Amino acid sequence: MTETTTLAVTGMTCRDCAHHVEQALTAVSGVSKVRVEYSKRVARIESEFPVAIDTLNAALPNSYRVKSLPAEDALDKTTTPSSLVGKALGAFGGSRRARAGSETPLITTSELTCPNCGHISRESMPTDACIYFYDCAGCGALLRPKAGDCCVFCSYGSVPCPPVQANQSCCHTQSSR
């Protein structure tokens, strides 16, 4: 089964940059196809299996970075039904709980990547609380949110926590996302 992910690309200043990003991401193991749209600043990546964002960034020249899109941006910037949200809901078992007055579903499953050892764990996110601490199953490190983030999912997850996705304040802190 092919995974399709839409990610934001930063650092591009011209269409030639998009070509360089496309070439670098195509070389990543498991990636079968990459389409970078300079005008939208996104990369659509087809892969044989989910590929960690850290792995993709390691393949890129230092001036470029890819990152997860907020759920509403992924829907807005995608023209095919195989968007990040669609794949996350289907392949990762996320919930289709919609916000009041919105058709954008919240993603409730995220892949946490340990910054120490690179171990990836697929975890369910609570919709009404923050997770401040997480024990890495790979190295045992205690993960805490980075400065400015409300929880470990916003710092190390493939998708920000549901309150941040919904543009709500999370645990009495104002989100800057």
Side-chain angles (χ1 to χ4, degrees), residues 42 104 106 153:
V42 297
T104 304
L106 294 179
F153 291 107

Side-chain angles (χ1 to χ4, degrees), residues 6 12 70 75 95 131 141 152 154 170:
T6 302
M12 294 189 300
L75 285 174
S95 166
I131 302 296
V152 294
C154 289
C170 184

